[in-house]
PDB file of all heavy atoms in Angstrom:
ATOM      1  N   GLN M  59      -8.662  13.296  21.822  1.00  0.00           N
ATOM      2  CA  GLN M  59      -8.253  13.060  20.446  1.00  0.00           C
ATOM      3  C   GLN M  59      -8.163  11.561  20.187  1.00  0.00           C
ATOM      4  O   GLN M  59      -7.687  10.803  21.014  1.00  0.00           O
ATOM      5  CB  GLN M  59      -6.917  13.732  20.158  1.00  0.00           C
ATOM      6  CG  GLN M  59      -7.002  15.231  20.229  1.00  0.00           C
ATOM      7  CD  GLN M  59      -5.658  15.886  20.026  1.00  0.00           C
ATOM      8  OE1 GLN M  59      -4.630  15.233  19.964  1.00  0.00           O
ATOM      9  NE2 GLN M  59      -5.665  17.201  19.924  1.00  0.00           N
ATOM     10  N   GLY M  60      -8.623  11.171  19.035  1.00  0.00           N
ATOM     11  CA  GLY M  60      -8.587   9.763  18.692  1.00  0.00           C
ATOM     12  C   GLY M  60      -8.953   9.546  17.244  1.00  0.00           C
ATOM     13  O   GLY M  60      -9.082  10.496  16.469  1.00  0.00           O
ATOM     14  N   VAL M  61      -9.122   8.291  16.908  1.00  0.00           N
ATOM     15  CA  VAL M  61      -9.414   7.922  15.526  1.00  0.00           C
ATOM     16  C   VAL M  61     -10.461   6.814  15.536  1.00  0.00           C
ATOM     17  O   VAL M  61     -10.475   5.966  16.428  1.00  0.00           O
ATOM     18  CB  VAL M  61      -8.109   7.491  14.812  1.00  0.00           C
ATOM     19  CG1 VAL M  61      -7.472   6.284  15.448  1.00  0.00           C
ATOM     20  CG2 VAL M  61      -8.337   7.275  13.348  1.00  0.00           C
ATOM     21  N   ASP M  62     -11.365   6.857  14.567  1.00  0.00           N
ATOM     22  CA  ASP M  62     -12.362   5.810  14.402  1.00  0.00           C
ATOM     23  C   ASP M  62     -11.755   4.714  13.539  1.00  0.00           C
ATOM     24  O   ASP M  62     -11.344   4.974  12.397  1.00  0.00           O
ATOM     25  CB  ASP M  62     -13.622   6.374  13.737  1.00  0.00           C
ATOM     26  CG  ASP M  62     -14.335   7.357  14.640  1.00  0.00           C
ATOM     27  OD1 ASP M  62     -14.422   7.092  15.854  1.00  0.00           O
ATOM     28  OD2 ASP M  62     -14.811   8.391  14.127  1.00  0.00           O
ATOM     29  N   ILE M  63     -11.690   3.498  14.093  1.00  0.00           N
ATOM     30  CA  ILE M  63     -11.063   2.369  13.411  1.00  0.00           C
ATOM     31  C   ILE M  63     -11.926   1.123  13.567  1.00  0.00           C
ATOM     32  O   ILE M  63     -12.810   1.075  14.418  1.00  0.00           O
ATOM     33  CB  ILE M  63      -9.639   2.097  13.941  1.00  0.00           C
ATOM     34  CG1 ILE M  63      -9.646   1.711  15.418  1.00  0.00           C
ATOM     35  CG2 ILE M  63      -8.754   3.309  13.712  1.00  0.00           C
ATOM     36  CD1 ILE M  63      -8.278   1.361  15.980  1.00  0.00           C
ATOM     37  N   CYS M  64     -11.640   0.103  12.778  1.00  0.00           N
ATOM     38  CA  CYS M  64     -12.408  -1.137  12.875  1.00  0.00           C
ATOM     39  C   CYS M  64     -11.970  -1.931  14.102  1.00  0.00           C
ATOM     40  O   CYS M  64     -10.876  -1.736  14.643  1.00  0.00           O
ATOM     41  CB  CYS M  64     -12.276  -1.964  11.600  1.00  0.00           C
ATOM     42  SG  CYS M  64     -10.731  -2.861  11.409  1.00  0.00           S
ATOM     43  N   ARG M  65     -12.826  -2.820  14.508  1.00  0.00           N
ATOM     44  CA  ARG M  65     -12.582  -3.624  15.701  1.00  0.00           C
ATOM     45  C   ARG M  65     -11.334  -4.495  15.552  1.00  0.00           C
ATOM     46  O   ARG M  65     -10.545  -4.612  16.489  1.00  0.00           O
ATOM     47  CB  ARG M  65     -13.822  -4.478  15.994  1.00  0.00           C
ATOM     48  CG  ARG M  65     -13.697  -5.442  17.136  1.00  0.00           C
ATOM     49  CD  ARG M  65     -13.265  -4.869  18.461  1.00  0.00           C
ATOM     50  NE  ARG M  65     -14.099  -3.813  18.952  1.00  0.00           N
ATOM     51  CZ  ARG M  65     -13.730  -2.982  19.922  1.00  0.00           C
ATOM     52  NH1 ARG M  65     -12.545  -3.085  20.486  1.00  0.00           N
ATOM     53  NH2 ARG M  65     -14.520  -2.028  20.331  1.00  0.00           N
ATOM     54  N   LEU M  66     -11.106  -5.110  14.402  1.00  0.00           N
ATOM     55  CA  LEU M  66      -9.933  -5.977  14.235  1.00  0.00           C
ATOM     56  C   LEU M  66      -8.626  -5.197  14.322  1.00  0.00           C
ATOM     57  O   LEU M  66      -7.664  -5.651  14.941  1.00  0.00           O
ATOM     58  CB  LEU M  66     -10.010  -6.736  12.908  1.00  0.00           C
ATOM     59  CG  LEU M  66     -11.025  -7.865  12.824  1.00  0.00           C
ATOM     60  CD1 LEU M  66     -11.009  -8.477  11.425  1.00  0.00           C
ATOM     61  CD2 LEU M  66     -10.765  -8.929  13.867  1.00  0.00           C
ATOM     62  N   CYS M  67      -8.570  -4.042  13.713  1.00  0.00           N
ATOM     63  CA  CYS M  67      -7.362  -3.209  13.820  1.00  0.00           C
ATOM     64  C   CYS M  67      -7.185  -2.734  15.257  1.00  0.00           C
ATOM     65  O   CYS M  67      -6.070  -2.732  15.791  1.00  0.00           O
ATOM     66  CB  CYS M  67      -7.428  -2.031  12.855  1.00  0.00           C
ATOM     67  SG  CYS M  67      -7.228  -2.505  11.122  1.00  0.00           S
ATOM     68  N   HIS M  68      -8.289  -2.347  15.906  1.00  0.00           N
ATOM     69  CA  HIS M  68      -8.244  -1.882  17.291  1.00  0.00           C
ATOM     70  C   HIS M  68      -7.683  -2.977  18.200  1.00  0.00           C
ATOM     71  O   HIS M  68      -6.786  -2.731  19.014  1.00  0.00           O
ATOM     72  CB  HIS M  68      -9.654  -1.485  17.727  1.00  0.00           C
ATOM     73  CG  HIS M  68      -9.694  -0.528  18.870  1.00  0.00           C
ATOM     74  ND1 HIS M  68     -10.833   0.148  19.199  1.00  0.00           N
ATOM     75  CD2 HIS M  68      -8.758  -0.134  19.772  1.00  0.00           C
ATOM     76  CE1 HIS M  68     -10.590   0.921  20.249  1.00  0.00           C
ATOM     77  NE2 HIS M  68      -9.337   0.759  20.606  1.00  0.00           N
ATOM     78  N   ARG M  69      -8.192  -4.179  18.035  1.00  0.00           N
ATOM     79  CA  ARG M  69      -7.708  -5.307  18.836  1.00  0.00           C
ATOM     80  C   ARG M  69      -6.211  -5.539  18.621  1.00  0.00           C
ATOM     81  O   ARG M  69      -5.471  -5.790  19.569  1.00  0.00           O
ATOM     82  CB  ARG M  69      -8.471  -6.564  18.439  1.00  0.00           C
ATOM     83  CG  ARG M  69      -9.183  -7.184  19.598  1.00  0.00           C
ATOM     84  CD  ARG M  69      -9.871  -8.454  19.184  1.00  0.00           C
ATOM     85  NE  ARG M  69     -11.292  -8.162  19.129  1.00  0.00           N
ATOM     86  CZ  ARG M  69     -12.142  -8.708  18.290  1.00  0.00           C
ATOM     87  NH1 ARG M  69     -11.738  -9.577  17.394  1.00  0.00           N
ATOM     88  NH2 ARG M  69     -13.403  -8.394  18.328  1.00  0.00           N
ATOM     89  N   GLY M  70      -5.779  -5.464  17.369  1.00  0.00           N
ATOM     90  CA  GLY M  70      -4.369  -5.690  17.063  1.00  0.00           C
ATOM     91  C   GLY M  70      -3.452  -4.656  17.704  1.00  0.00           C
ATOM     92  O   GLY M  70      -2.372  -4.991  18.188  1.00  0.00           O
TER      93      GLY M  70
END
Side-chain angles (χ1 to χ4, degrees):
Q59 294 177 353
V61 62
D62 293 319
I63 63 177
C64 77
R65 176 54 57 196
L66 287 178
C67 288
H68 203 166
R69 238 183 254 147

